[in-house]
Amino acid sequence: MSSIAKKTGFGATVWDYITTVDHKKIGVMYLLAGTFFFVLGGIEALLMRIQLMRPNNDFVSAGFFNELMTMHGTTMIFLAAMPLLFGFMNAVVPLQIGARDVAFPFLNSLGFWLFFFGGVFLNLSWFLGGAPDAGWTSYASLSLYSEGHGIDFYVLGLQISGAGTLISGINFLVTIINMRAPGMTYMRMPLFTWTTFVASALILFAFPPLTIGLALMLFDRMFGANFFDHTMGGNTIIWEHLFWIFGHPEVYILVLPAFGLFSEIFATFSRKRLFGYSSMVFATILIGFLGFMVWAHHMFTVGLGATANAIFAVATMAIAVPTGMKVFNWLLTMWGGSIKVTVPMLYALGFIPSFVAGGVTGVMQAAAPLDYQLHDSYFIVAHFHYVIVGGIVLALFGSAHYYWPLMFNQMLDERLGKVTFWFFFVGFHCTFFVQHFLGLMGMPRRVATYGAEQGLDTFNLISTIGAALMAIGVLMLVINVVKTAIKNEKVGRDPWGDGRTLEWAIPQPVPFYNFRQTPLVRGLDTYWIEKQEGNEEGMTYAEPLGDIHMPNNSILPFIMTIGLFIASFGALYNMDADKPWSIFLLIGGLSILFACMFARSFKDDHGYHVHVEDILAEEERLYGKKGGNN
Amino acid sequence: MDVNKEFTAQTWPDHPEQATLEGKNKFVGFWLFLACEIVLFASLFATYLALKNRGPASMGEEFTTQSLFELPLVFAMTMVLLTSSLTSVYAIYHMKNHNFKGTQTWMGITVILGAVFLALEIYEFNHYVHLGFHYTHSAFSSAFYTLVGTHGAHVLLGLCWITSLIIRNNKRGLNLYNAPKYYVAALYWHFIDVVWVFIFTVVYLMGAM
């Protein structure tokens, strides 16, 4: 198979993306799909804020409000934040470790399609009889008796997209363990690779409990099992445990890669080696470990007893220690550095006070007696939005600017980016800071409205205005992307001028095989070292120019996912007595899935070789006669 | 990697399952997958222990672990499955010595033993259902069938997997492309066996006591 790109039409491009196993293209698809769901979840949030703008509002009905808040949470966590982070992991991690692709390119594609169709399935519930309405935590005693199919969409949709996440998690672990370039020891890995590694390990251990929880919920609703039905001896607390054994590490699955992204940004724009690299790595691992020890702090008011509450309270407070280490390391990275306040750096600077504020309220809630007061109030809403928006969303926006040149060979507009930041940042604090007070004043979360005499109007109005500012910020980012795409100005290698790690050493646009020759990593911040020594090539090579082995594209992941998608509809409608045809959907969909699995096992897939002359031709096509190192 | 490269017992590497990068990736990836399976089964075990012998207020003594389980049958199942793990060890032993016929034969015996185990399990479930211990009977019945049934589903998948491997590779013999496949299939089979040891202990032995 020749790999030299030809001029292609629209259909061919679509086919290329559907069948691709290239981590860079899959990263772009994650970014697109994640943005789509992010906008969807944002619209849901705006509708909620409009409803809460004034007391006794009837902009949406109470039932619809329940659907909105459920879908907002579920969408933002599973379908926006995680895929967007996966987008950056896919686009960046293989380049950072000097690999030509991930360990399992086929599974990478499968993971993406599972996530995407799981998300589509979940959101189709809006059009097929109503969305899930039991909160993103979907506590069993409530969700078991939810009317209609909303909860079934939730269970099946998350099951599919969760499988995709698990596959991607294993893939990144193996990639980082096995595919590092020569010289890239563990303690020379860039921090984003490290945090991806630890977050993937968390995915590995956190998602199976969710899988089981969802399966038990499905069996209860579909087959009449009795896991959560107390009249039949079941126990509704089992769901809470399983959900939070997943749910708490999930928070760290999201925030650790965000920490990694910020660590890259801080080091680059302070033009200094990351302060306390080893302690950063240690803190990352420690946070990952402690993340599994604290799930019951979501359940202080359940009545687990004083001993259990005390243990989980102490464990929760302990997490503040490694997190604090990280914050001080970032501050000391900037200390004495030659700081350039670019847009990514602006987001990083905004992140520190915002995230620390969220962390401090987190420690407050870790005190179990206080949590009895704060539980289920807007204080909690304010806290986790400070952590998630102030930590993860700022990281996503900042690294969108930071890695845009790497992914698209274009630079987002800096001036517009700065305006965007201020709109979003001010809007964010405006929205959520006042919610602390709303919570302390006694406003419960997840309510569709409140009374005029409760004194909650002003803060709610401020909060809604803030949400509008955030929406303007997001809109400006989209405009920036469109503007940059139209301008189409190519930027070339190391566009920030201060790239430290291997991904910036590759000539732009990145060829599909990433590295012409596998690089030899000579230390932490290997590209920086090469630049300091005046190496024009940007890297030292570990091998002579030779044939490159690459994986084949495949349509199978897409078809497999379609099969599972069809089967899910079958399973969902099989619960209705009046839809006997659903069983055929179920069997048909699963047959497609298993047929694809057999096809995959029976047909050998050895990949192909890109020969030296093809590499040289491709380089000339991409960079012209003078080569890519300028 | 050249699939058609012919090996002899002398040129065959010591660790054929890890001799290529693809093989190494499969090896590490599969171990990680098993780690995730452990958490999966741990969640099911925890659920089972929480719901053991729990049912509606009207539930009588006849459907508790003490009166329901019959250890002789379960002991036979355990012996069959443990033996099948041993035969898969023989298969991998022959694979490492580049004796393809031995590998195929012992994998085939593993499949047969696995099928016997599965048949006994179906017989057991059928027996309980005829006693009136349905899936929807109580929280205990749901938890029991889900835990043991998930293990059974793993056995079924393993049987299909190993059978496919035997058929697919029957004509072409061992090479560095399919050696990792045999290896991870055997790894999976051992894992199923280990889970069963825990089910035997936690569900049956601790239940019958």
Side-chain angles (χ1 to χ4, degrees), chain A residues 187 263 266-268 270-278 329 332-335 500 523-525 528-529:
Chain A
M187 289 312 273
S263 302
F266 275 122
T268 302
S270 303
R271 289 182 261 188
K272 243 181 90 188
R273 191 187 136 133
L274 188 72
F275 186 89
Y277 171 85
S278 325
N329 279 336
L332 289 167
T333 303
M334 288 188 284
W335 184 269
R500 309 179 69 80
L524 184 65
D525 294 337
W528 188 260
I529 295 174

Side-chain angles (χ1 to χ4, degrees), chain A residues 66-142:
Chain A
N66 286 344
E67 296 180 2
L68 282 176
M69 60 109 187
T70 303
M71 286 301 281
H72 168 70
T74 314
T75 304
M76 284 303 197
I77 296 283
F78 290 98
L79 309 178
M82 274 214 294
L84 286 170
L85 288 170
F86 271 130
F88 290 119
M89 291 179 189
N90 265 300
V92 177
V93 168
L95 303 182
Q96 275 194 334
I97 62 173
R100 293 211 167 100
D101 207 323
V102 291
F104 306 111
F106 180 90
L107 289 184
N108 203 14
S109 162
L110 181 64
F112 169 77
W113 290 112
L114 286 174
F115 137 70
F116 183 67
F117 277 96
V120 169
F121 185 82
L122 181 58
N123 274 285
L124 282 177
S125 63
W126 288 114
F127 309 104
L128 300 171
D133 55 359
W136 88 282
T137 55
S138 204
Y139 273 15
S141 31
L142 185 60

Side-chain angles (χ1 to χ4, degrees), chain B residues 6 15 27 33 47 54 69 76 80 85 115-116 118 126-127 136-137 150 155 161 166 170 188 205:
Chain B
E6 293 284 337
H15 294 282
F27 179 82
F33 169 73
T47 308
R54 299 292 173 98
F69 298 149
V80 171
S85 213
V116 171
L118 205 59
N126 193 36
H127 174 65
T136 56
H137 169 268
T150 305
V155 174
W161 180 8
I166 294 173
N170 202 26
Y188 179 78
L205 282 183

Side-chain angles (χ1 to χ4, degrees), chain A residues 103-104 166 173-174 178-179 204-205 208-209 212 219 223-227 231-234 549 598 602 604-606, chain B residues 3 22 24-25 28-29 32 36 39-40 43-44 47 51 54-56 135-139 142-143 146 164 168 172 177:
Chain A
F104 306 111
L166 195 53
L173 281 171
V174 180
N178 272 356
M179 313 266 288
L204 185 71
F205 293 117
I212 292 300
F219 292 166
F223 305 131
N226 307 302
F227 292 104
T231 61
M232 297 298 282
H549 180 246
F598 274 108
F602 275 72
D604 286 356
D605 181 7
H606 299 296
Chain B
V3 201
E22 284 79 6
K24 252 188 220 128
N25 286 345
V28 176
L32 292 170
C36 129
V39 183
L40 194 101
S43 307
L44 283 173
T47 308
L51 298 178
R54 299 292 173 98
Y135 188 64
T136 56
H137 169 268
S138 59
S142 304
T146 305
S164 312
R168 172 65 185 95
R172 67 173 169 185
Y177 180 71

Side-chain angles (χ1 to χ4, degrees), chain A residues 341-490:
Chain A
V341 186
T342 56
V343 175
M345 189 62 174
L346 208 51
Y347 278 102
L349 292 169
F351 150 80
I352 287 191
S354 313
F355 189 81
V356 168
V360 167
T361 51
V363 178
M364 283 169 73
Q365 289 155 39
L370 182 58
D371 187 66
Y372 270 72
Q373 299 300 315
L374 304 175
H375 190 80
D376 256 346
S377 78
Y378 256 81
F379 194 86
I380 306 291
V381 179
H383 156 71
F384 67 68
H385 280 94
Y386 258 80
V387 179
I388 290 179
V389 183
I392 298 147
V393 178
L394 290 185
L396 290 171
F397 283 17
S399 15
H401 285 85
Y402 184 56
Y403 280 126
W404 206 262
L406 186 71
M407 292 176 76
F408 301 102
N409 197 17
Q410 297 165 345
M411 189 79 105
L412 287 174
D413 189 292
E414 279 283 295
R415 221 174 51 186
L416 190 54
K418 281 179 184 165
V419 182
T420 307
F421 167 78
W422 284 113
F423 265 98
F424 191 82
F425 190 69
V426 171
F428 154 63
H429 281 282
C430 188
T431 310
F432 296 110
F433 189 70
V434 291
Q435 290 187 359
H436 290 113
F437 301 115
L438 284 173
L440 295 175
M441 287 156 77
M443 182 167 167
R445 68 190 277 204
R446 291 174 173 154
V447 288
T449 191
Y450 50 92
E453 69 295 340
Q454 288 176 296
L456 304 172
D457 338 2
T458 321
F459 284 151
N460 268 305
L461 181 63
I462 294 174
S463 186
T464 302
I465 293 169
L469 293 177
M470 284 166 84
I472 294 172
V474 174
L475 222 56
M476 286 168 80
L477 182 60
V478 174
I479 291 170
N480 200 344
V481 169
V482 174
K483 206 179 126 187
T484 309
I486 291 172
K487 209 164 88 185
N488 195 13
E489 205 173 282
K490 304 295 181 205

